[in-house]
Amino acid sequence: MFMKLYNTLHRTVEEFVPHEPGIVRMYTCGPTVYHYAHIGNLRTYIFEDILEKGLTYLGYDVKRVMNITDVGHKTTDADDGEDKMIKGAEREHKTVYEIADFYTQAFFDDCAKLNIKKPAVVEKATDHIDMYIQMIQKMLDEGYAYISNGNVYFDITKAKDYYQLSGKKMEELMIGVRDTVEEDKAKRNPFDFGLWFTLSKFENQDMKWDSPWGVGYPGWHIECSGISIKYLGEYLDIHCGGVDNIFPHHTNEIAQSEAYLGHPWCKYWCHGEHLNDKGGKMAKSRGEFLTISLLEEKGYDPLAYRYFCLNSHYRNQLVFSYEALDGAAQAYKKLKQKVQSLDRTPNLREGKIDFYEDQFKAAIENDLNTSSMLTVLYDVLKDEELTDFTKLYLVEKFDTVLSLGLLSDVEVSEDVDHLLQAKIEERAIAKQNKDFAKADAIRDEVLAMGYRLVDSREGTTYVKI
Ligand code: AMP
Ligand code: ZN
């Protein structure tokens, strides 16, 4: 079976075939660190986390990179929109650098509470200015970009198929962004976007660098192309983000990356749908917004929110309400209690392991169907033919993807410890008697219970596998 993923580029579910067999190069847009992440943002990061872990479960070696947007992201896509970082700094009477550090840490604290793994490579936008300058220069040299009124813009008429990702015509997109795109006389076309802005336009910008076009700072979109190409190379397999990123952010990333590279760049574009509240899309600009800390203050376990998200497919909109979260919190608590009540006495693992693992894989392969993954988990727990020990084995494996902390509070009980110590002793005696067949049999028996014996000069101990 192949992994199947919905590819926004073609608006269909497709078989996933990476450029290099067995390896997945995956880029996920990171947070703009001018404020706390709201739980809608975190829904997108949960989706990306499950995607990474699901692919790993299927045996792929996933190389994942994420950026931290600490410069250049504006409140609107108009060129004179306020810079979000400057706005954050003014709000809190701090420097933009202090704001960036504080909210980057806050973001990763939230991720840790939700068992979202930190990507192997996380890079700040401000650390790669040289890369953007080199890319912009090449685009200027090759006629994809132009200088106007001190800024450097990308000319979207030079892109191969600028409207492919959004699937919309310019007129339709104009309606969608009418309120935020203001007429900028410096541009040749309304959707041309800034690659480099000079100081002349943003005098209160603290973050500024020398460039061949004057002191200034990069546009928002170039950072993701630059960081992705620098760390993942010229061919990307998967690029993710929330659906609001499709236009203009990802559309512009494709235009500039392919202009710079001179060939197609990313094969699969995967977008998570939004979390809405009753009033519509959850957004920081609407003033008060829901954070994970706020849910904690109200007594919710952050992982109950993760469970809430996993119950619906990432491509469906999800409406948040406290009633719905209460339901998920109850179900999550029951699930955890069920797992915790399983008898942990080591026993042979037997029966239907492959059957359930295959079902779990099929759920991953089916465009990351998280609610089906949960169904497989519940089926395992219900199955009367399975020993508790076998159930625990499967729960632990599935939880490497679901990351619901189902076994997190469990330590090796005293009973298990006694039993394993007895096995260690029995094996040592067998070895002394040169009965190596028996010693090996004991080692295998312990292995089947889910523990590996480790011999050293100090003696033998065990580790959980
Ligand atoms: P930002 O920090 O604003 O750059 O957004 C971080 C991520 O959250 C991006 O991938 C957005 O697409 C995503 N996002 C923004 N709003 C929502 C929402 N209401 N629900 C889900 N994801 C969102
Ligand atoms: Zn991005």
Side-chain angles (χ1 to χ4, degrees):
M1 270 284 283
F2 270 103
M3 174 77 178
K4 292 203 177 72
L5 276 175
Y6 182 86
N7 188 354
T8 309
L9 206 53
H10 306 125
R11 278 163 285 286
T12 51
V13 175
E14 295 175 358
E15 274 182 9
F16 173 68
V17 185
H19 280 96
E20 206 177 317
I23 295 178
V24 180
R25 293 185 169 81
M26 174 174 173
Y27 185 86
T28 51
C29 291
T32 307
V33 283
Y34 72 112
H35 217 320
Y36 292 107
H38 61 57
I39 58 171
N41 301 131
L42 291 162
R43 181 187 184 203
T44 294
Y45 296 109
I46 290 172
F47 144 59
E48 294 164 350
D49 182 59
I50 298 261
L51 181 56
E52 177 183 355
K53 290 172 178 167
L55 288 163
T56 305
Y57 192 95
L58 297 179
Y60 289 103
D61 174 8
V62 184
K63 302 193 183 305
R64 177 169 167 202
V65 174
M66 188 172 89
N67 67 305
I68 298 287
T69 299
D70 56 357
V71 67
H73 189 171
K74 300 210 229 76
T75 48
T76 74
D77 286 301
D79 294 334
D80 52 1
E82 266 181 295
D83 182 298
K84 287 189 180 181
M85 294 303 298
I86 296 175
K87 218 178 146 190
E90 282 170 358
R91 184 185 64 232
E92 298 183 23
H93 308 291
K94 290 187 180 140
T95 68
V96 270
Y97 288 98
E98 285 166 343
I99 288 287
D101 282 352
F102 180 83
Y103 287 111
T104 302
Q105 190 51 50
F107 171 71
F108 285 116
D109 289 347
D110 284 348
C111 287
K113 289 178 188 168
L114 289 164
N115 281 349
I116 296 171
K117 180 173 170 261
K118 191 172 178 177
V121 178
V122 176
E123 287 295 321
K124 288 197 248 179
T126 48
D127 281 345
H128 300 283
I129 303 294
D130 290 354
M131 176 77 185
Y132 317 144
I133 290 177
Q134 180 208 320
M135 290 174 77
I136 295 167
Q137 189 59 60
K138 189 167 179 216
M139 287 188 263
L140 276 167
D141 293 345
E142 296 185 1
Y144 289 102
Y146 59 93
I147 297 172
S148 177
N149 200 21
N151 298 330
V152 186
Y153 294 98
F154 187 93
D155 181 345
I156 61 154
T157 62
K158 303 281 163 52
K160 200 165 150 274
D161 188 356
Y162 185 71
Y163 300 100
Q164 188 187 7
L165 188 71
S166 65
K168 290 189 175 144
K169 297 194 196 80
M170 183 176 171
E171 303 72 51
E172 294 172 89
L173 288 169
M174 283 302 278
I175 295 164
V177 294
R178 195 168 34 204
D179 293 342
T180 56
V181 172
E182 282 154 38
E183 203 189 348
D184 178 350
K185 299 231 161 44
K187 291 198 227 173
R188 291 180 189 160
N189 315 290
F191 287 149
D192 286 356
F193 56 93
L195 293 166
W196 188 267
F197 295 102
T198 60
L199 253 191
S200 60
K201 212 157 186 179
F202 299 104
E203 271 151 28
N204 58 349
Q205 172 71 321
D206 276 351
M207 290 178 162
K208 51 194 179 217
W209 295 266
D210 279 333
S211 84
W213 321 288
V215 175
Y217 68 101
W220 165 37
H221 314 293
I222 191 77
E223 65 184 75
C224 289
S225 295
I227 292 172
S228 173
I229 292 167
K230 186 161 174 184
Y231 290 91
L232 293 167
E234 292 195 11
Y235 294 93
L236 188 61
D237 295 306
I238 300 180
H239 196 312
C240 299
V243 284
D244 57 306
N245 283 159
I246 296 173
F247 185 85
H249 185 47
H250 290 169
T251 296
N252 292 349
E253 274 191 55
I254 295 174
Q256 67 202 359
S257 297
E258 298 193 347
Y260 171 70
L261 294 169
H263 59 69
W265 173 48
C266 176
K267 276 177 102 172
Y268 302 89
W269 287 85
C270 302
H271 293 101
E273 251 301 346
H274 276 169
L275 178 81
N276 298 327
D277 54 26
K278 284 177 192 140
K281 185 189 150 192
M282 204 165 279
K284 292 176 210 176
S285 53
R286 296 223 322 255
E288 201 187 286
F289 56 87
L290 283 174
T291 59
I292 277 298
S293 308
L294 195 72
L295 293 187
E296 275 185 304
E297 278 167 31
K298 289 182 187 285
Y300 292 99
D301 180 338
L303 293 178
Y305 176 66
R306 184 171 174 113
Y307 180 89
F308 170 72
C309 291
L310 297 193
N311 271 286
S312 65
H313 193 258
Y314 74 91
R315 282 200 290 120
N316 291 336
Q317 287 188 3
L318 180 59
V319 177
F320 177 84
S321 70
Y322 281 107
E323 298 79 63
L325 185 62
D326 283 340
Q330 276 300 326
Y332 173 63
K333 197 168 150 201
K334 269 195 178 161
L335 171 64
K336 205 164 165 179
Q337 277 168 351
K338 174 82 193 143
V339 173
Q340 307 273 321
S341 72
L342 294 172
D343 181 358
R344 276 161 237 284
T345 312
N347 203 326
L348 291 184
R349 287 194 211 119
E350 57 198 15
K352 291 193 190 163
I353 288 183
D354 290 348
F355 169 77
Y356 282 118
E357 284 216 67
D358 286 349
Q359 289 214 338
F360 193 75
K361 280 185 189 158
I364 298 172
E365 285 165 346
N366 183 15
D367 193 19
L368 209 68
N369 193 328
T370 45
S371 62
S372 295
M373 291 180 216
L374 287 172
T375 303
V376 182
L377 176 73
Y378 280 109
D379 286 347
V380 163
L381 293 172
K382 280 203 302 256
D383 190 331
E384 289 175 1
E385 287 173 33
L386 297 180
T387 62
D388 279 8
F389 202 66
T390 307
K391 290 182 185 180
L392 280 165
Y393 170 77
L394 287 167
V395 169
E396 199 172 3
K397 284 208 90 174
F398 297 168
D399 212 30
T400 60
V401 180
L402 302 170
S403 300
L404 290 167
L406 296 174
L407 287 151
S408 61
D409 306 335
V410 181
E411 286 178 11
V412 179
S413 72
E414 253 180 72
D415 289 354
V416 177
D417 184 58
H418 279 148
L419 204 138
L420 290 167
Q421 295 302 349
K423 294 282 171 204
I424 289 173
E425 217 161 289
E426 211 185 315
R427 180 167 164 267
I429 293 167
K431 275 186 167 176
Q432 268 171 16
N433 297 336
K434 304 220 176 328
D435 187 352
F436 296 112
K438 185 169 178 193
D440 286 351
I442 295 171
R443 186 201 54 208
D444 292 345
E445 197 186 329
V446 171
L447 209 57
M449 292 174 184
Y451 296 88
R452 187 172 43 246
L453 295 180
V454 185
D455 297 312
S456 70
R457 253 187 287 168
E458 284 75 39
T460 305
T461 50
Y462 59 84
V463 286
K464 204 161 183 327
I465 48 172

